[in-house]
Amino acid sequence: MADDKPKEIAPPVTAPQSPPAATATDPPPPQPQPPQTQAQQADKDKDEDIPHYTAELYRHTLLRGANAGSLLVLVLGTPYMLYTGTRCPAALFQRLGRATLQGTTVGAALSGAGTYYTIRNNAEEQIYDRSYRLRYNRGQCYMDQVTYGGVLGGLVLGAALVPASRLMGGLYGASMGFGLAVPTQVATSGHFVAKDKEEKK
């Protein structure tokens, strides 16, 4: 007696298809990144470690306060002294240098006091975060470098311009360097703006 059960038909066997060929518009496949060596990881951990983060925060705020105090005196004091009759370059330098020295000192003191009242109730993690952000901010780091260069250049120039008292002349020149560093940084920091725009694309 014939079996009335229908026979199962096997599905057709198809050959495996190869993946489509890459075209010129397809993005390149991601390249595997080499694993970090122990030395690279140690350098990264060292960079992220800020042992004296509170002192580094104060260093930054004191510098910015000195920049602001010196710049304010230069902007307001120079036209005032010229208006009141101080036209001799040597006399103008000494009078303006004395004023910027006072402005630098007051600006740094006020900035330090403001920092203390700002962070006095902050947790250690918050202070560390502030220091970390300032350390790895390219604009702030560049401002620090310009400030150091301006202060050093002013110190040498001031000592040369006041031979009778090279110490005071150096202090006058250095205090002016704090203020002059601000427009110098603004005028020369365009490459940071261009680089940030390229990274955001």
Side-chain angles (χ1 to χ4, degrees), residues 6 8 31 33 39 48-49 62 66 79 89 114 121 127 135 190 201:
E8 295 182 357
Q31 299 294 329
Q33 297 294 330
E48 294 180 355
D49 183 28
L62 290 174
N121 295 325
I127 302 175
R135 171 179 282 196
K201 291 182 178 179

Side-chain angles (χ1 to χ4, degrees), residues 3-70:
D3 190 359
D4 294 336
K5 185 178 181 181
K7 296 182 179 180
E8 295 182 357
I9 301 175
V13 179
T14 58
Q17 296 181 356
S18 59
T23 62
T25 58
D26 292 339
Q31 299 294 329
Q33 297 294 330
Q36 287 187 340
T37 63
Q38 293 183 355
Q40 291 174 335
Q41 184 63 36
D43 291 339
K44 183 179 179 181
D45 295 339
K46 183 178 179 181
D47 289 340
E48 294 180 355
D49 183 28
I50 308 177
H52 307 292
Y53 48 88
T54 303
E56 184 159 335
L57 178 61
Y58 273 103
R59 177 192 64 82
H60 167 80
T61 56
L62 290 174
L63 283 177
R64 295 296 83 83
N67 289 132
S70 176

